[in-house]
Amino acid sequence: MKHFKAMITVTLRKSILDVQGKTVEHALHSTNFTSIEHVRIGKYVELFVHADTAEQAMSIVDDACKTIIANPIMEDHHIELQEVSVGEIA
Amino acid sequence: MKCGIVVFPGSNCDHDAWYATSHNAGAEAQMLWHKETSIPTDIDCVILPGGFSYGDYLRCGAIAQVSPIMSAVRDHAKKGKFVLGICNGFQILTESGLLPGVLLRNTSMSFICKDIYLRTEQILSPFTNALEQGQILRVPIAHGEGNYFADEETIHILEQEQRIAFRYCDANGITSAESNPNGSINNIAGILNDTGNVLGMMPHPERCCDPLLGNIDGLGVFTSLMQTVGIV
């Protein structure tokens, strides 16, 4: 059994206006960060999962994202997986 | 009629719903703790009340929708019995898939707590049959995430099947961007499921049912249910 750390970002789907992102973008522009654009605000979720393979771990985490962590009607999720040793858990 | 009002950790309109149904509408009402796994068979209407279930952690309604009682609520709805979700209850219904779409952050990014006007769009439902078509109601809202969103196809179906129960409007019943408090598509304030026995709405009818409060515009939702089910 291997251990993995999953780093999940959840953002509003591109088709949905991210009002918070837009507001932050305006604030950045008004403080002269004029080269910054398309700001999107999201959530970061970190969790550990044990599985036999990275593929299996990815499948479990993806399923969790689709079921609870993100709402596919309004959000996209992105998962980064990293194998860790037992000592690195939490 | 007997109502079962689900109490989640963080519900805060549960007692208001209980008072409105039992004292103002003349129904029987009892509280149902969210850890229950069944709903008493004599309950006609389950009410998912407003509040901040589980502190709105992750997303509004996301954790409540996996509470033990929600399987029983789904079964209750499947049997054709009534489910009414108010505010956070509406959010729980969309998260649970009992109603389509989702409630996004208000476009103003602010929590809005004020009276708004609603236009009654559908009077053939068990929740609105004591109202008149086009009847304008003054009802309070109190939410930060009430901006109803669904994909184009879903909105088309909701409109086509006349499943929009209420729309935000002005005092004269005109729907416009100005009378839309939160950015909801097509000024949608409340929707029905495809069989008409589940209603979700962001405004709080239970907060305007008692004459002492100076406004009983919300009472029609509960008297409609009484009219549908009858006095038990």
Side-chain angles (χ1 to χ4, degrees), chain A residues 30-75:
Chain A
S30 66
T31 40
N32 289 327
F33 291 100
T34 49
S35 57
I36 293 176
E37 54 187 356
H38 303 305
V39 178
R40 296 188 76 75
I41 308 288
K43 289 175 206 159
Y44 173 72
V45 179
E46 187 179 283
L47 55 85
F48 292 85
V49 57
H50 46 87
D52 292 330
T53 63
E55 288 73 27
Q56 195 187 41
M58 182 59 100
S59 161
I60 292 167
V61 176
D62 191 52
D63 197 20
C65 284
K66 286 173 181 159
T67 310
I68 292 182
I69 294 170
N71 181 336
I73 298 172
M74 63 169 172
E75 293 167 326

Side-chain angles (χ1 to χ4, degrees), chain B:
Chain B
M1 179 178 72
K2 192 162 183 183
C3 295
I5 297 148
V6 179
V7 184
F8 297 99
S11 293
N12 63 13
C13 301
D14 43 345
H15 195 86
D16 287 3
W18 175 81
Y19 192 90
T21 49
S22 60
H23 283 247
N24 300 130
E28 276 185 65
Q30 74 174 80
M31 299 305 203
L32 302 170
W33 183 234
H34 73 113
K35 287 204 169 163
E36 299 290 334
T37 51
S38 64
I39 290 166
T41 51
D42 61 343
I43 297 287
D44 301 296
C45 181
V46 169
I47 298 179
L48 304 180
F52 299 86
S53 56
Y54 296 91
D56 279 351
Y57 291 173
L58 195 60
R59 290 179 311 280
C60 308
I63 311 293
Q65 69 102 353
V66 290
S67 259
I69 200 163
M70 285 307 294
S71 302
V73 173
R74 284 187 190 89
D75 290 344
H76 183 84
K78 245 184 243 167
K79 285 179 200 156
K81 294 176 133 192
F82 308 119
V83 179
L84 168 61
I86 300 167
C87 196
N88 188 225
F90 185 13
Q91 294 162 340
I92 295 167
L93 288 175
T94 57
E95 280 287 338
S96 70
L98 279 165
L99 287 174
V102 74
L103 282 312
L104 299 172
R105 283 287 286 274
N106 298 341
T107 46
S108 65
M109 297 299 290
S110 306
F111 186 94
I112 305 169
C113 184
K114 65 175 186 182
D115 280 6
I116 49 83
Y117 291 97
L118 294 177
R119 193 174 71 201
T120 311
E121 300 283 291
Q122 171 56 275
I123 55 163
L124 298 177
S125 88
F127 308 92
T128 54
N129 57 24
L131 298 168
E132 284 171 28
Q133 188 69 33
Q135 189 173 339
I136 300 162
L137 310 171
R138 185 164 62 90
V139 180
I141 55 167
H143 59 246
E145 287 88 2
N147 174 1
Y148 184 76
F149 172 85
D151 61 43
E152 237 171 85
E153 193 192 340
T154 305
I155 296 292
H156 180 74
I157 292 168
L158 289 173
E159 294 283 3
Q160 201 78 2
E161 295 179 354
Q162 298 178 316
R163 286 162 53 191
I164 318 291
F166 299 106
R167 276 184 228 273
Y168 299 109
C169 65
D170 64 16
N172 299 312
I174 310 293
T175 58
S176 62
E178 289 71 38
S179 60
N180 184 341
N182 50 31
S184 292
I185 292 180
N186 295 1
N187 283 44
I188 290 171
I191 57 166
L192 295 153
N193 70 340
D194 55 358
T195 43
N197 60 316
V198 178
L199 169 70
M201 61 189 294
M202 287 311 295
H204 286 273
E206 82 286 8
R207 292 191 187 178
C208 48
C209 289
D210 196 291
L212 269 178
L213 297 172
N215 176 11
I216 57 163
D217 281 7
L219 191 57
V221 170
F222 303 106
T223 50
S224 293
L225 277 166
M226 286 290 284
Q227 195 164 286
T228 306
V229 179
I231 299 165
V232 180

Side-chain angles (χ1 to χ4, degrees), chain A residues 16-29:
Chain A
I16 293 177
L17 174 68
D18 180 353
V19 183
Q20 199 175 173
K22 273 276 169 241
T23 308
V24 172
E25 190 175 311
H26 289 149
L28 287 163
H29 289 173

